[in-house]
Amino acid sequence: MKIVTIIGARPQIIKAAALSRAIKMQYSDRVQEVIVHTGQHYDDNMSQVFFEELGIPRPDYNLHVGSASHGVQTAKMIEGIERILLDERPDAIVLYGDTNSTLAGAVAASKLHITVVHIEAGLRSFNKSMPEEINRIVCDHCSTLLFTPTQAGFDNLVREGFPTNNEGPYTIDNPKVYHCGDIMYDNSRYFSTIADEKVDLLGSLGLTETPYVLATLHRDGNTDDPQRLQAILDAFLELSESIPLVLPMHPRTRKMVALLEDRSKTERLMKDDRIKIIEPVSFLEMTQLEKHAQLIVTDSGGVQKESYFFQKPCVIMRPETEWVEIVETGAATLADADTAKILKTAQQYLKQPPASFPTIFGDGHAAEFMLQKMIEL
Ligand code: UD1
Ligand code: UDP
């Protein structure tokens, strides 16, 4: 079977590592993978670092699309992906998550009648002002095989009319949905021990013996609204008075922080010894930061989940989440961009961490399950 895998943004490169690893270990005689990087993320620390560290094969193609408005970026991707699909004639295209690279792959492939496989299907925030929500819905409805990481993802698709007990042959009009666990859990399990053997970011930050909070912030709804961005940074400044905070900063966020009106606050933030603002880190470094943190504060989808994998409490800086099960267990709380709520929730979790983390994300073998279903298509 020949598959074309589309990657572009950081989390997709990371997710693709799990599938490529499973192909290499168990399916190399049955699955040929052609990797296409759209170039949506292009800084070395947002892209190249993951290939080297996670052993992902070099992309066969790079479209070098770069940053642009949604329309321009997605259009360039569709054009480039269509050309490659016409040349490569794969049996299926594999798409991850909900970025513009996912959307472009879904549109290009489905119009050429190429089978779409969507990994991380069915997630919904029920907030269509998020670009990701549009991307997910379009991709799911162009797909033939849909792999949902959670039960909520499966239930959402059933609610949207996807059949449950249907027989093959599967097509775009007779799609098959499998609830099979999360491919990111495969990765976190696999790299958890390797991280502490191979990197020592905590040592370099002087935090080996010191409790700290890990934070990430990049969602456009937070970064591109100065009031929300300032409210979140105010919470970080105040929280850091009681515990140091590490913030690997997404390039989008760095650009938007530089535009904030209150220069004195921004300078305080940038110079504050207790807030370690660093460049985006590698996946092994991130894994190490997550494993040893007391608490994680984030608006990232992936980091919310990893926080749960490593049994850390999580303050989610969004009004809602697709990962509803994490909130239902009490291991995470929605605090939006509300300074007081972020602080209060963080302090509560630091005082009293969640007691249990029931299984939500499968058994860490989602990639093998997906490959098996793909070759049975
Ligand atoms: C994208 C995804 C988002 C995902 C995130 C993961 C969409 C619509 N959004 O958001 O779902 O959570 O990736 O990180 O697909 N930039 C750089 N260097 C880079 C990449 C980006 O400087 O290598 C800067 C540029 O100023 C760019 C901005 O970041 O305009 C935003 O990048 P973009 O890929 O459009 O969206 P993300 O916010 O990264
Ligand atoms: N990540 C990383 N380095 C960083 C920040 C995040 O390796 O500096 C990883 C993180 O561990 C997770 C993924 O990137 O696996 C999440 O990506 P991101 O937060 O950019 O996007 P989202 O998951 O919200 O789409």
Side-chain angles (χ1 to χ4, degrees):
M1 177 180 207
K2 183 174 178 180
I3 59 172
V4 163
T5 296
I6 305 291
I7 54 177
R10 166 170 71 187
Q12 293 168 322
I13 303 169
I14 295 169
K15 288 167 202 173
L19 201 80
S20 296
R21 192 169 61 247
I23 294 175
K24 193 167 151 200
M25 309 287 254
Q26 292 180 43
Y27 288 88
S28 56
D29 54 337
R30 282 162 289 170
V31 179
Q32 180 202 350
E33 185 181 35
V34 174
I35 299 182
V36 178
H37 193 324
T38 62
Q40 178 170 353
H41 285 173
Y42 43 85
D43 290 347
D44 279 356
N45 58 20
M46 295 294 287
S47 174
Q48 185 56 30
V49 63
F50 303 108
F51 288 90
E52 289 158 11
E53 195 178 56
L54 307 183
I56 309 164
R58 259 175 64 90
D60 299 276
Y61 298 89
N62 192 324
L63 298 174
H64 296 293
V65 160
S67 305
S69 67
H70 285 275
V72 170
Q73 188 182 54
T74 311
K76 283 186 181 165
M77 290 175 188
I78 293 176
E79 189 182 0
I81 294 170
E82 182 180 66
R83 205 173 46 241
I84 293 167
L85 293 177
L86 286 169
D87 285 347
E88 292 285 346
R89 290 269 151 216
D91 298 299
I93 188 169
V94 176
L95 304 172
Y96 292 95
D98 53 21
T99 71
N100 287 348
S101 299
T102 317
L103 173 67
V107 173
S110 58
K111 297 272 177 106
L112 292 173
H113 306 155
I114 291 172
T115 301
V116 175
V117 177
H118 190 200
I119 295 179
E120 216 175 67
L123 281 305
R124 297 290 181 266
S125 63
F126 302 100
N127 173 3
K128 288 199 183 108
S129 71
M130 286 181 81
E132 292 84 358
E133 186 76 349
I134 308 290
N135 296 347
R136 293 176 192 128
I137 293 172
V138 174
C139 184
D140 281 341
H141 287 264
C142 291
S143 296
T144 290
L145 273 192
L146 299 95
F147 294 110
T148 75
T150 57
Q151 186 61 44
F154 187 88
D155 296 344
N156 289 334
L157 291 175
V158 174
R159 241 190 330 268
E160 287 175 23
F162 282 83
T164 44
N165 290 315
N166 53 330
E167 301 285 328
Y170 301 120
T171 64
I172 189 169
D173 289 313
N174 181 34
K176 184 67 183 169
V177 182
Y178 293 104
H179 169 210
C180 64
D182 197 305
I183 200 158
M184 287 186 69
Y185 186 43
D186 295 19
N187 263 342
S188 290
R189 270 171 49 116
Y190 185 82
F191 288 110
S192 169
T193 318
I194 300 176
D196 280 338
E197 287 163 6
K198 288 215 174 156
V199 297
D200 185 24
L201 181 59
L202 286 182
S204 340
L205 293 172
L207 290 173
T208 312
E209 306 292 335
T210 314
Y212 63 90
V213 171
L214 170 65
T216 79
L217 167 64
H218 77 278
R219 195 64 51 205
D220 67 343
N222 286 333
T223 59
D224 296 12
D225 176 334
Q227 268 181 339
R228 288 176 67 88
L229 182 57
Q230 189 63 65
I232 290 170
L233 298 177
D234 286 350
F236 290 173
L237 270 168
E238 206 168 324
L239 185 59
S240 72
E241 284 170 20
S242 51
I243 181 167
L245 194 136
V246 182
L247 173 57
M249 200 176 261
H250 192 289
R252 167 179 217 121
T253 315
R254 201 173 275 280
K255 284 175 190 159
M256 298 317 283
V257 168
L259 301 177
L260 285 173
E261 245 171 43
D262 193 334
R263 303 304 311 151
S264 66
K265 259 192 193 164
T266 307
E267 256 171 53
R268 230 180 91 207
L269 176 87
M270 293 313 216
K271 287 193 185 139
D272 194 322
D273 275 355
R274 292 176 64 82
I275 302 186
K276 296 178 189 297
I277 297 182
I278 54 178
E279 288 297 314
V281 296
S282 77
F283 183 70
L284 291 186
E285 288 171 333
M286 189 65 181
T287 301
Q288 183 174 59
L289 285 175
E290 290 169 341
K291 269 179 77 175
H292 299 281
Q294 299 294 111
L295 167 74
I296 297 178
V297 184
T298 190
D299 60 6
S300 155
V303 177
Q304 282 174 53
K305 288 188 284 177
E306 286 164 355
S307 145
Y308 194 84
F309 303 158
F310 294 116
Q311 308 209 339
K312 305 297 174 180
C314 182
V315 179
I316 303 171
M317 299 181 294
R318 284 184 42 194
E320 78 287 300
T321 179
E322 314 72 69
W323 306 103
V324 287
E325 286 96 337
I326 307 184
V327 174
E328 280 160 13
T329 63
T333 299
L334 294 167
D336 205 358
D338 178 332
T339 313
K341 189 148 189 218
I342 296 169
L343 279 169
K344 187 167 163 240
T345 317
Q347 300 294 6
Q348 274 168 351
Y349 275 142
L350 287 169
K351 225 182 287 156
Q352 193 172 14
S356 73
F357 292 79
T359 304
I360 296 173
F361 294 101
D363 61 3
H365 294 283
E368 290 95 315
F369 179 92
M370 292 173 191
L371 284 165
Q372 190 57 40
K373 296 301 173 196
M374 284 185 221
I375 56 176
E376 286 168 12
L377 253 180

